[in-house]
Amino acid sequence: MGTHYDIIAMGLLPHTTTHTEASSPHCRPIGPARSLLPTRLLLPSAAASIPHYVSRPAPQPGRAARSCWGRQMAELESLETAAEHERILREIESTDTACIGPTLRSVYDGEEHGRFMEKLEARIRNHDREIEKMCNFHYQGFVDSITELLKVRGEAQKLKNQVTDTNRKLQSEGKELIIAMEELKQCRLQQRNISATVDKLTLCLPVLEMYSKLREQMKSKRHYPALKTLEHLEHTYLPQVSHYRFCKVMVDNIPKLREEIKEVSMSDLKDFLESIRKHSDKIGETAMKQDCRYNQWKIIARIFFNLLLSPNIKAQQQRSLDNIVSQHPRISGGKKSKKEACTSSDLEVKNTSPMSEQDSGILDVEDEEEDEEVPGAQELVDFSPVYRCLHIYSVLGARETFENYYRKQRRKQARLVLQPPSNMHETLDGYRKYFNQIVGFFVVEDHILHTTQGLVNRAYIDELWEMALSKTIAALRTHSSYCSDPSLVLDLKNLIVLFADTLQGYGFPVNQLFDMLLEIQDQYSETLLKKWSGVFRNILDSDNYSPIPVTNEEIYKKIVGQFPFQDAELEKQPFPKKFPFSEFVPKVYNQIKEFIYACLKFSEDLHLSSTEVDDMIRKSTNLLLTRTLSNCLQNVIKRKNVGLTELVQIIINTTHLEKSCKFLEEFITNITNVLPETVHTTKLYGTTTFKDARHAAEEEIYTNLNQKIDQFLQLADYDWMALEPGSRASDYLVDLIGFLRSTFAVFTHLPGKVAQTACMSACKHLSTSLMQLLLEAEVRQLTLGALQQFNLDVEECEQFARSGPVPGFQGDTLQLAFIDLRQLLDLFIQWDWSTYLADYGQPTCKYLRVNPTTALVLLEKMRDTSRKNNVFAQFRKNERDKQKLIDTVAKQLRGLINSHHS
């Protein structure tokens, strides 16, 4: 209660004593109570804690100013204040401490703080007296309790001694136990340490095992598994034991190990790149061999399909099938050597074809069992270094660095591969090795493209291919221009086709290569033309220009089989008999066919339509006929030592070759299946070629005949001053007529017009030459006797013309060649000047072909002779009359000449 009121006095806690207790007269404070509960000591502190506006009462008014009414009012107020304070004290005693705030607030709001404090002091004193009274009532029990407590102290001392003795005995007896417990404690500590060590070692051993495994993998060059192990070690195992020093060493070594793995994997990649650079030709060779076999089977299937559709086996299909079967060992039923696998065509004639030399072949790989399957190009290369290095750099976050390095190195290798050797054009092996390296390079890149994700992409491959295509085409254009052997050009074409087909199978566009092959086709045609030019020259030089003799049926059928010739009359003749043409006709005909086959070989596998192939063959054949064969024939015709017999045989031969042109047309149609009537089909110009050659031969015959006539005329030795003629024609002219008769006898096999033209040309030339001989300036004088001898020679010529040396002339057509000479000689011998001068200029004139100028020249020569030989005869009347007549005639001839010019 004292504590409660102390708090109340401090203004913090209410007093809970009831009004009855406060007003009880028995509640008196006692002395001991004050000593136990010093409430007086607390009240000042409580009073000090009350604010000044509570503890300090309001100032009182002065006494002098107080009045009676004031006293009464003060008394009333005092009563009211006392009642209010009583109520507040009761509320403080009865109210819970938490709700004492409003009560105290009412005290603070009033002005009687001092009186309230006095009331409060009085109430505290009342309660103190009650507490003291209560304590005095229970004091005897307290004394008894103290007495009993003193007794207990003695007993407690005894108990303490007993406990001390017991403890001493227990300590003495428990020393051994304590020692054992210490030992047990130590063992438990060791056991705990061992257990902790085992636990730690259990965590560390996998780390050490992984590190050992890593080192083993590094030693065995299993770098990608080593990198995976390193990743597990770094992210899974090391974090569990990261506080150990050896783990820190491992952590410090991890970057070094990564760099070591990168370096080693990069070294493996460099070895791989170097290896595929060295072996790219083998890879390409294998890929091209696979494609070649596939193409062979595809062609065989297509040919068999065509044969099934058409019972008529085309010559070209049968030829292609034979070639392919002979080249493929599994089809021909046995193993063959490389040389046997490339046999030549059966259509060669007496081994004279320039294509009889077998193509060198496209694939010339190492000898192996034919029954074994060709390994795939990818099976020849171990790509694991690339994959490992790619995975390693991907895991290490340096994939882009790896991609850039790989692409850069492969670009460098591509440039090296695309650089052709300087002597590549010399042999097919040079081209083959060049193509094999390119194919091998792109086979590897294609495999990398499809087996890795992003190491190379299609754009990168296309860029490399565009560069390779341009460089390859440029190299082929340069080196192929040096090729002069058509067999090498054909082999090169086959190699390019195989090269293009192989790369096309891997998805690379190769249209530019086929376009370039069309350019090479022109070069191939030129080389063929050069080679066939030599073949034609050899044939023409070795020919005897005589009809082919046939002694039996076998030879006859063989020649007819080589050349399309049909003659019912010749077939009826008994053996031995002769063909009208010489040996070069069937040889040239067959060589033209071989040339067509050679052109067809180049067109194979170029993906050309039948029309394009037909057009290409016809154009090349036209060049062969119009340029190569025509030049060869012209050279033979123009040779100095060629005789008339050879020229006649050449005309006969070209006539038969001209007739065979339609069979060449049919031959081209059969192998190309393009009809000649097709629009835009090129026509063969063989007819024109052989006509031109025949015309040239005819002109050469005419020229040779004239030259022979001139040679005979050079032997003429006339005595222009002879007084009497001889009994017969001059010897040189008789020999000349004999030569002409024998020559025209050979013309029996010539076309009629050719022989007639040659005979007419020879007679005209002979007539013109005799006229020139008579009128030449060196002959200054001539006599009538010499003129009569000359007339005998002209009559011999007319007799030859009348004998009909060449059949086909109508009437005296051939004699007209000598009409000029005949009229001139008749005029002078008959001395019929009056008729000539009278009828000159009339269509019916007897001497219509005599020119006045020619007559005057000849007359002057005769007049000079008369003057020289008859110097003294001028006094004779007849001679004088004759001389006057000559002068008169000469004068009249001059008049005719002048009138004609005017």
Side-chain angles (χ1 to χ4, degrees):
M1 292 298 289
T3 304
H4 186 66
Y5 275 96
D6 289 338
I7 296 174
I8 292 172
M10 293 170 65
L12 297 175
L13 292 176
H15 185 66
T16 58
T17 306
T18 61
H19 176 72
T20 305
E21 291 175 348
S23 62
S24 175
H26 300 289
C27 295
R28 294 289 184 265
I30 58 176
R34 286 186 177 274
S35 62
L36 291 173
L37 298 172
T39 55
R40 293 297 180 180
L41 297 175
L42 293 174
L43 286 175
S45 63
S49 64
I50 298 174
H52 66 276
Y53 54 82
V54 177
S55 60
R56 296 177 184 175
Q60 301 294 326
R63 294 181 178 179
R66 293 178 181 178
S67 60
C68 180
W69 179 84
R71 286 192 300 270
Q72 292 177 353
M73 290 299 295
E75 291 177 358
L76 290 174
E77 291 177 358
S78 176
L79 291 175
E80 292 176 358
T81 302
E84 181 65 23
H85 289 171
E86 189 65 25
R87 182 186 65 79
I88 291 172
L89 290 174
R90 285 197 301 270
E91 288 182 1
I92 290 173
E93 291 175 349
S94 61
T95 305
D96 190 11
T97 306
C99 300
I100 199 172
T103 304
L104 294 177
R105 173 60 64 185
S106 63
V107 175
Y108 297 152
D109 292 341
E111 298 179 357
E112 299 294 335
H113 301 96
R115 296 185 64 183
F116 177 77
M117 293 300 295
E118 293 177 356
K119 286 279 186 182
L120 185 58
E121 290 286 342
R123 183 62 61 87
I124 291 172
R125 286 194 297 270
N126 289 336
H127 284 296
D128 288 342
R129 284 193 297 270
E130 290 177 358
I131 292 170
E132 184 178 357
K133 182 179 180 181
M134 187 179 294
C135 289
N136 289 333
F137 179 76
H138 293 288
Y139 180 76
Q140 187 60 40
F142 174 74
V143 173
D144 293 339
S145 296
I146 293 299
T147 303
E148 291 178 0
L149 185 60
L150 292 174
K151 293 180 179 179
V152 170
R153 185 176 63 181
E155 295 296 330
Q157 186 64 34
K158 293 179 180 179
L159 181 60
K160 178 181 178 181
N161 293 334
Q162 291 177 357
V163 170
T164 302
D165 293 339
T166 302
N167 181 56
R168 186 174 56 256
K169 293 178 181 179
L170 182 62
Q171 293 294 331
S172 176
E173 297 293 334
K175 283 183 180 180
E176 295 180 0
L177 179 60
I178 290 172
I179 294 172
M181 290 298 295
E182 288 294 333
E183 293 177 357
L184 178 61
K185 178 182 176 182
Q186 191 66 28
C187 289
R188 289 291 176 88
L189 180 61
Q190 292 176 356
Q191 183 181 11
R192 187 168 60 251
N193 292 339
I194 292 173
S195 179
T197 303
V198 171
D199 292 339
K200 298 300 182 182
L201 287 177
T202 304
L203 292 176
C204 294
L205 282 177
V207 177
L208 298 174
E209 290 174 356
M210 290 296 289
Y211 193 78
S212 175
K213 180 181 179 182
L214 173 62
R215 282 298 184 182
E216 190 67 27
Q217 290 172 341
M218 293 284 291
K219 185 177 180 181
S220 60
K221 296 184 178 180
R222 298 170 58 203
H223 304 111
Y224 182 65
L227 188 62
K228 289 293 185 182
T229 303
L230 185 62
E231 292 294 321
H232 287 297
L233 180 65
E234 181 181 15
H235 297 99
T236 304
Y237 294 96
L238 285 178
Q240 300 176 5
V241 290
S242 59
H243 53 282
Y244 295 107
R245 284 185 298 173
F246 77 91
C247 293
K248 294 180 180 178
V249 174
M250 290 183 182
V251 171
D252 294 338
N253 284 336
I254 285 176
K256 299 179 181 178
L257 292 174
R258 282 202 178 96
E259 287 299 322
E260 182 180 353
I261 292 174
K262 284 179 64 176
E263 292 175 0
V264 174
S265 62
M266 182 57 70
S267 176
D268 292 344
L269 176 66
K270 292 179 180 178
D271 294 340
F272 168 79
L273 293 176
E274 181 66 20
S275 175
I276 61 174
R277 188 186 68 82
K278 292 180 179 179
H279 299 92
S280 59
D281 56 341
K282 180 64 176 177
I283 300 169
E285 178 184 2
T286 304
M288 292 175 71
K289 184 176 181 181
Q290 286 180 325
D291 188 77
C292 181
R293 290 194 174 185
Y294 171 75
N295 289 336
Q296 287 177 343
W297 283 108
K298 186 168 64 175
I299 294 171
I300 293 170
R302 184 172 66 249
I303 293 177
F304 274 115
F305 180 73
N306 293 335
L307 296 178
L308 291 175
L309 291 179
S310 176
N312 297 324
I313 301 178
K314 302 295 183 182
Q316 178 57 23
Q317 291 177 339
Q318 186 64 39
R319 182 187 181 97
S320 300
L321 182 60
D322 293 342
N323 285 339
I324 295 172
V325 169
S326 64
Q327 291 177 6
H328 202 288
R330 295 187 182 180
I331 302 172
S332 57
K335 298 179 181 179
K336 296 185 178 182
S337 65
K338 299 172 187 176
K339 184 178 294 184
E340 293 173 343
C342 300
T343 57
S344 59
S345 171
D346 293 331
L347 295 176
E348 298 168 1
V349 180
K350 293 183 180 180
N351 295 327
T352 57
S353 170
M355 296 304 291
S356 62
E357 299 177 1
Q358 176 52 39
D359 303 341
S360 59
I362 296 174
L363 291 175
D364 196 9
V365 297
E366 298 177 356
D367 295 334
E368 59 181 6
E369 293 295 328
E370 297 294 340
D371 294 335
E372 293 181 0
E373 292 295 332
V374 180
Q378 293 79 11
E379 297 175 6
L380 299 175
V381 183
D382 179 17
F383 290 93
S384 57
V386 180
Y387 302 147
R388 285 197 302 268
C389 197
L390 175 62
H391 292 319
I392 288 171
Y393 272 75
S394 298
V395 172
L396 296 177
R399 181 187 178 98
E400 183 176 358
T401 302
F402 174 75
E403 291 178 358
N404 294 334
Y405 177 80
Y406 178 84
R407 296 182 183 184
K408 181 179 179 181
Q409 294 301 316
R410 290 297 279 168
R411 279 194 181 94
K412 291 181 179 179
Q413 290 187 356
R415 292 187 180 95
L416 292 176
V417 166
L418 295 171
Q419 186 67 31
S422 58
N423 60 342
M424 184 176 70
H425 60 276
E426 295 179 357
T427 61
L428 188 65
D429 289 335
Y431 290 102
R432 183 183 291 112
K433 185 174 181 181
Y434 180 64
F435 288 141
N436 287 343
Q437 289 180 346
I438 297 175
V439 172
F441 178 87
F442 283 100
V443 165
V444 171
E445 290 305 294
D446 181 78
H447 185 73
I448 292 294
L449 174 66
H450 290 89
T451 55
T452 60
Q453 296 180 351
L455 179 56
V456 295
N457 52 31
R458 178 53 64 183
Y460 162 79
I461 296 293
D462 292 342
E463 178 188 353
L464 283 181
W465 175 241
E466 287 297 327
M467 177 184 70
L469 197 59
S470 61
K471 289 183 177 293
T472 302
I473 291 175
L476 289 177
R477 283 174 176 164
T478 301
H479 287 270
S480 63
S481 62
Y482 300 122
C483 295
S484 58
D485 183 8
S487 299
L488 180 59
V489 177
L490 181 61
D491 288 343
L492 175 60
K493 167 258 170 184
N494 293 331
L495 194 60
I496 294 174
V497 169
L498 182 58
F499 170 72
D501 288 343
T502 303
L503 289 173
Q504 190 175 30
Y506 286 91
F508 295 99
V510 294
N511 293 333
Q512 295 184 37
L513 287 174
F514 285 102
D515 294 340
M516 186 203 63
L517 283 175
L518 298 180
E519 300 176 12
I520 296 180
Q521 190 272 334
D522 297 334
Q523 178 187 350
Y524 177 69
S525 297
E526 290 298 324
T527 57
L528 284 180
L529 292 174
K530 290 180 181 179
K531 193 160 191 175
W532 254 263
S533 177
V535 172
F536 287 145
R537 283 197 302 270
N538 293 334
I539 292 174
L540 295 176
D541 291 343
S542 62
D543 193 52
N544 57 8
Y545 295 96
S546 300
I548 302 176
V550 181
T551 58
N552 53 52
E553 185 71 21
E554 182 180 356
I555 298 176
Y556 182 86
K557 289 183 178 180
K558 180 180 178 181
I559 295 175
V560 172
Q562 294 176 0
F563 182 74
F565 175 77
Q566 293 180 353
D567 189 347
E569 295 183 0
L570 183 63
E571 290 180 0
K572 294 178 182 179
Q573 294 178 8
F575 294 100
K577 51 189 175 182
K578 294 181 179 181
F579 284 97
F581 47 80
S582 65
E583 290 183 356
F584 95 67
V585 172
K587 289 182 179 180
V588 168
Y589 181 79
N590 281 283
Q591 286 307 314
I592 295 174
K593 291 173 64 176
E594 286 299 320
F595 179 85
I596 294 172
Y597 274 130
C599 294
L600 183 64
K601 279 185 178 181
F602 194 91
S603 65
E604 293 175 352
D605 302 322
L606 292 186
H607 310 298
L608 300 175
S609 64
S610 299
T611 305
E612 292 174 327
V613 173
D614 182 84
D615 184 69
M616 182 189 71
I617 291 176
R618 289 177 182 271
K619 287 181 178 179
S620 299
T621 306
N622 280 332
L623 287 175
L624 177 72
L625 295 175
T626 60
R627 193 173 72 184
T628 304
L629 181 56
S630 177
N631 290 339
C632 291
L633 290 173
Q634 294 291 340
N635 292 334
V636 171
I637 292 171
K638 299 296 182 181
R639 281 190 307 202
K640 293 182 179 180
N641 58 347
V642 65
L644 290 174
T645 305
E646 287 85 351
L647 292 173
V648 171
Q649 191 63 53
I650 288 173
I651 292 176
I652 296 171
N653 291 347
T654 53
T655 302
H656 287 282
L657 286 174
E658 180 183 351
K659 294 178 181 179
S660 69
C661 286
K662 63 179 182 179
F663 297 101
L664 291 175
E665 290 270 7
E666 295 177 359
F667 177 73
I668 295 176
T669 300
N670 289 335
I671 64 176
T672 61
N673 296 322
V674 178
L675 298 177
E677 294 79 11
T678 306
V679 181
H680 306 305
T681 300
T682 305
K683 304 300 180 183
L684 285 183
Y685 302 143
T687 303
T688 304
T689 299
F690 297 124
K691 282 183 178 179
D692 293 342
R694 187 167 63 252
H695 293 160
E698 293 173 1
E699 292 295 332
E700 194 66 23
I701 287 176
Y702 306 152
T703 303
N704 282 2
L705 276 175
N706 295 339
Q707 290 175 354
K708 287 292 184 180
I709 291 172
D710 293 339
Q711 291 175 5
F712 278 101
L713 289 175
Q714 290 176 1
L715 299 177
D717 186 18
Y718 287 101
D719 182 10
W720 300 110
M721 301 303 295
L723 297 177
E724 294 294 334
S727 59
R728 62 187 183 90
S730 302
D731 293 338
Y732 85 91
L733 190 62
V734 174
D735 296 338
L736 173 60
I737 296 301
F739 166 76
L740 292 177
R741 289 183 187 279
S742 62
T743 300
F744 290 138
V746 182
F747 288 7
T748 54
H749 295 290
L750 284 176
K753 292 183 179 181
V754 176
Q756 293 171 10
T757 304
C759 187
M760 178 60 75
S761 174
C763 290
K764 285 184 177 181
H765 183 72
L766 177 58
S767 175
T768 304
S769 298
L770 288 174
M771 180 69 76
Q772 292 176 354
L773 184 63
L774 185 63
L775 299 177
E776 63 183 3
E778 295 180 358
V779 181
R780 297 173 180 263
Q781 300 173 354
L782 57 83
T783 62
L784 183 60
L787 200 61
Q788 290 175 346
Q789 179 63 44
F790 194 80
N791 184 53
L792 290 175
D793 293 344
V794 173
E795 288 178 353
E796 185 70 20
C797 294
E798 290 175 338
Q799 179 61 33
F800 168 74
R802 283 193 297 269
S803 66
V806 174
F809 286 108
Q810 297 179 357
D812 297 334
T813 304
L814 190 58
Q815 289 180 265
L816 295 177
F818 302 97
I819 189 65
D820 293 350
L821 276 175
R822 172 48 48 209
Q823 291 184 5
L824 180 63
L825 291 175
D826 288 346
L827 175 62
F828 276 86
I829 292 174
Q830 297 177 7
W831 206 254
D832 194 8
W833 292 105
S834 59
T835 304
Y836 174 76
L837 294 173
D839 296 340
Y840 180 78
Q842 296 181 9
T844 58
C845 179
K846 181 180 179 181
Y847 305 101
L848 183 63
R849 305 301 296 269
V850 177
N851 191 291
T853 304
T854 304
L856 179 61
V857 171
L858 189 59
L859 185 63
E860 290 290 341
K861 292 183 179 183
M862 293 185 67
R863 184 174 62 177
D864 292 341
T865 303
S866 300
R867 290 177 178 176
K868 180 178 179 181
N869 295 332
N870 299 305
V871 175
F872 299 102
Q874 59 182 339
F875 299 104
R876 287 179 283 182
K877 184 175 182 302
N878 291 335
E879 293 299 331
R880 290 197 307 270
D881 292 341
K882 185 177 181 181
Q883 188 65 35
K884 289 180 180 180
L885 180 59
I886 292 174
D887 293 339
T888 303
V889 171
K891 184 177 180 180
Q892 290 178 349
L893 288 176
R894 290 189 186 95
L896 291 176
I897 294 171
N898 294 331
S899 64
H900 177 72
H901 287 303
S902 62

